[in-house]
Amino acid sequence: MIAMSVTDKKAPPYYSDSLETDPAAAGPSTGSQLDPLLPPPHDSEVPKYTERAFENVYIPGGGEEPPPEFTPYEAEFFISGKEIVSHDPHLNEDGEALYRFLLSQSTTRPEYRMHARGTHTEHRTRTVSSTDSNGRTTHRTESYTETVTDFDFYIDLTPYIVHGPVHWSVPDAEPAYRGKMFMEVDSNDLVNDDGERGLPPGRRKATKAERNAAQERKKMRRAAGLPPWVAVTPEIWLQNSVAPPPDRAMVLGSSKTLREWADEYCASDKLLKEFTYTKVVYGWNTTNLEEAIKTAIRSVYRHNISVTFDLSLHKIRIRPDNRLSRILSNMWLKFLLWILLIYPFIWLFKRFSRRGGGRWQLCGGAYALKTWQLQPPGTVPPPNSNDGRWQQTPDGLVHLIGLREGEWFQQWEGTIRGAVRRRVQTRTPLEHGAYAAPPQLPFLDNVRPALPFIPALPLVQSPFGQR
């Protein structure tokens, strides 16, 4: 096994298939029966910097080793907006402490939500009165446009994360911040243009074409629900509908380990340096899921629709312990520096001074909404298991854990429609079944309630298919 627990190198990752779920909370489903698998318990508090925080962390092979034992250290950090920020001086001096702090923080899953919003535009008129210098009052009518919000709600997807973290790093040939204020590469393996084949080997500044290509790959991965370590060419992504199991994939693309990058950051004497650890959520094709949600909403609503999948608390930023760095971490003080035209000079210092700024942004943790679990040798699939969750691969028998996006949509479609009908506007995530309409007729043998007739809507095929 490549993936291993920090507390026991010989033990493979373990997933319980015997947990029971509440059938009432699961909701109705017209698809195949779901596996009785619950996500790991979610602690609302950020884990403390102690040994207990490493019980469920999986470290892939290829150079990542657990740090040696030493006295636990309580690192200072705070939440700024949707990010976790630390100016702890020890994390800027000791690479080992920084490495352990990142492992500790990675045990807390990021917050992942679906956000649906509907608006429409209204053209209105109003009467405006004005008085001239002679005391005469005139009235005139003017037109104006106003955007009205009809519904605005969230659904929490964090409980559906069933695996992670898997620690990953970008390949040497991928443009990333490696200690400078601009993106660099350590290899020319991804160079395809004949005009760029003469580039020098080793670390160099990434070209504009390389940066654009990396951005496109990132967008495709996010839209298709692929993990950060999946193949780098779009053709391969389109040919493979399912990513390999994380405990068998080459997730550490960099020639340096996370610990070595932490040491390099701590060795830097730059005053405005920054180390970023990024948490990503993968497993669902959000492009298809977004279209399915919009299709359900359009059946009861005909105006502007916005559906997004939002991450928060997914970036951990380590910054130096000096007054200027702390000021820049305060968004209000930073805004004041912009107003006073001071920040442009700070930016020039960060960008061009040898002791100015530097960014390390090339590693993180991945959390799966669904993923393939490699089964022990000799495992036999359950009888009549024809739902596509069991597959035979060259590495052995694998089992798909977690909800498919289509199964989640079947469970939540009624709640989404009901929330739209009732014009719900709240920042508190919806509960399953809170606004779903009850069935109007009992289900009898070979009889089902008739669906409502909507003559203005065309027939739309579901974007989900059986895998």
Side-chain angles (χ1 to χ4, degrees):
M1 261 318 196
I2 297 180
M4 60 188 70
S5 172
V6 171
T7 56
D8 186 358
K9 293 185 182 179
K10 297 181 181 179
Y14 172 76
Y15 305 88
S16 174
D17 288 327
S18 61
L19 300 177
E20 296 182 356
T21 56
D22 184 5
S29 174
T30 57
S32 58
Q33 185 177 0
L34 305 182
D35 290 341
L37 181 68
L38 289 176
H42 177 57
D43 189 357
S44 58
E45 294 185 0
V46 180
K48 293 186 177 180
Y49 192 38
T50 60
E51 294 296 329
R52 189 176 300 276
F54 299 97
E55 292 177 352
N56 295 320
V57 178
Y58 302 100
I59 307 296
E64 289 291 327
E65 294 293 339
E69 298 292 335
F70 70 101
T71 304
Y73 172 67
E74 294 283 348
E76 169 214 347
F77 64 90
F78 60 92
I79 296 177
S80 177
K82 295 183 177 182
E83 301 177 345
I84 297 174
V85 180
S86 176
H87 289 274
D88 193 283
H90 194 50
L91 301 184
N92 285 272
E93 300 168 354
D94 190 344
E96 186 174 299
L98 173 57
Y99 175 56
R100 291 176 64 92
F101 175 76
L102 295 176
L103 293 184
S104 174
Q105 289 293 321
S106 69
T107 59
T108 301
R109 296 172 292 175
E111 294 182 0
Y112 193 47
R113 293 181 175 184
M114 188 280 293
H115 181 201
R117 186 169 183 263
T119 62
H120 71 274
T121 302
E122 293 186 357
H123 300 281
R124 301 178 178 179
T125 59
R126 60 189 172 191
T127 301
V128 180
S129 301
S130 60
T131 304
D132 60 15
S133 58
N134 297 324
R136 290 178 300 183
T137 302
T138 58
H139 304 277
R140 59 185 176 87
T141 302
E142 66 177 17
S143 301
Y144 67 99
T145 301
E146 183 175 348
T147 299
V148 179
T149 300
D150 298 312
F151 62 88
D152 191 347
F153 59 84
Y154 296 82
I155 295 177
D156 189 10
L157 304 179
T158 308
Y160 295 94
I161 296 177
V162 295
H163 181 269
V166 173
H167 300 283
W168 57 271
S169 59
V170 300
D172 291 344
E174 188 80 1
Y177 291 99
R178 293 176 165 87
K180 300 290 182 61
M181 291 300 294
F182 49 82
M183 288 187 172
E184 298 177 295
V185 296
D186 280 340
S187 170
N188 293 331
D189 292 345
L190 296 182
V191 173
N192 295 322
D193 190 353
D194 292 337
E196 296 181 348
R197 294 187 181 277
L199 294 173
R203 184 171 298 185
R204 59 172 175 80
K205 184 177 181 179
T207 64
K208 183 178 180 180
E210 289 174 323
R211 296 195 303 270
N212 292 340
Q215 188 65 23
E216 289 300 319
R217 289 192 291 268
K218 186 176 180 179
K219 289 181 180 179
M220 291 186 65
R221 273 196 298 262
R222 185 186 299 113
L226 298 174
W229 56 84
V230 166
V232 296
T233 57
E235 291 78 10
I236 296 180
W237 295 348
L238 297 177
Q239 293 170 6
N240 293 275
S241 59
V242 178
D247 54 334
R248 289 294 186 184
M250 298 300 295
V251 299
L252 294 172
S254 175
S255 57
K256 289 186 177 182
T257 65
L258 173 58
R259 168 64 193 279
E260 291 172 336
W261 285 117
D263 288 336
E264 181 179 304
Y265 168 82
C266 291
S268 173
D269 61 350
K270 295 183 177 182
L271 299 177
L272 298 176
K273 61 183 180 179
E274 179 182 81
F275 192 100
T276 303
Y277 181 93
T278 305
K279 300 178 182 180
V280 297
V281 176
Y282 71 95
W284 286 0
N285 189 318
T286 54
T287 300
N288 288 351
L289 183 55
E290 176 185 344
E291 185 58 35
I293 295 173
K294 287 183 177 180
T295 301
I297 294 176
R298 288 191 188 101
S299 67
V300 293
Y301 181 77
R302 299 179 181 275
H303 299 289
N304 302 321
I305 302 171
S306 171
V307 175
T308 59
F309 296 88
D310 304 333
L311 268 174
S312 59
L313 301 181
H314 62 295
K315 288 186 181 292
I316 305 171
R317 300 190 187 274
I318 312 301
R319 294 168 181 164
D321 181 31
N322 59 65
R323 183 171 298 179
L324 179 58
S325 181
R326 287 181 177 271
I327 289 176
L328 295 179
S329 293
N330 188 310
M331 66 177 193
W332 296 112
L333 294 179
K334 187 175 181 180
F335 176 75
L336 181 61
L337 293 176
W338 270 109
I339 296 298
L340 298 177
L341 300 180
I342 297 176
Y343 185 79
F345 295 98
I346 299 177
W347 183 89
L348 291 174
F349 172 73
K350 288 179 61 177
R351 181 66 174 80
F352 297 106
S353 175
R354 188 192 68 82
R355 294 202 60 196
R359 300 171 63 181
W360 283 261
Q361 192 170 344
L362 35 74
C363 59
Y367 305 77
L369 293 163
K370 72 172 187 286
T371 188
W372 293 94
Q373 171 195 350
L374 185 64
Q375 301 297 299
T379 301
V380 178
N384 302 323
S385 56
N386 57 354
D387 58 354
R389 287 185 171 269
W390 296 86
Q391 301 287 341
Q392 189 67 41
T393 69
D395 288 333
L397 185 67
V398 294
H399 177 221
L400 182 67
I401 62 172
L403 280 180
R404 296 185 179 100
E405 51 267 49
E407 296 168 339
W408 177 90
F409 177 71
Q410 289 176 355
Q411 291 185 4
W412 282 89
E413 182 180 6
T415 301
I416 293 173
R417 291 174 187 264
V420 173
R421 288 192 186 100
R422 298 191 185 188
R423 304 296 190 258
V424 174
Q425 298 188 40
T426 177
R427 296 192 62 85
T428 303
L430 303 184
E431 295 184 1
H432 181 259
Y435 299 98
Q440 298 178 355
L441 294 175
F443 283 87
L444 304 177
D445 186 18
N446 201 30
V447 176
R448 293 181 180 272
L451 296 177
F453 177 66
I454 306 175
L457 287 177
L459 179 62
V460 179
Q461 184 177 2
S462 173
F464 297 107
Q466 179 71 29
R467 284 186 176 176

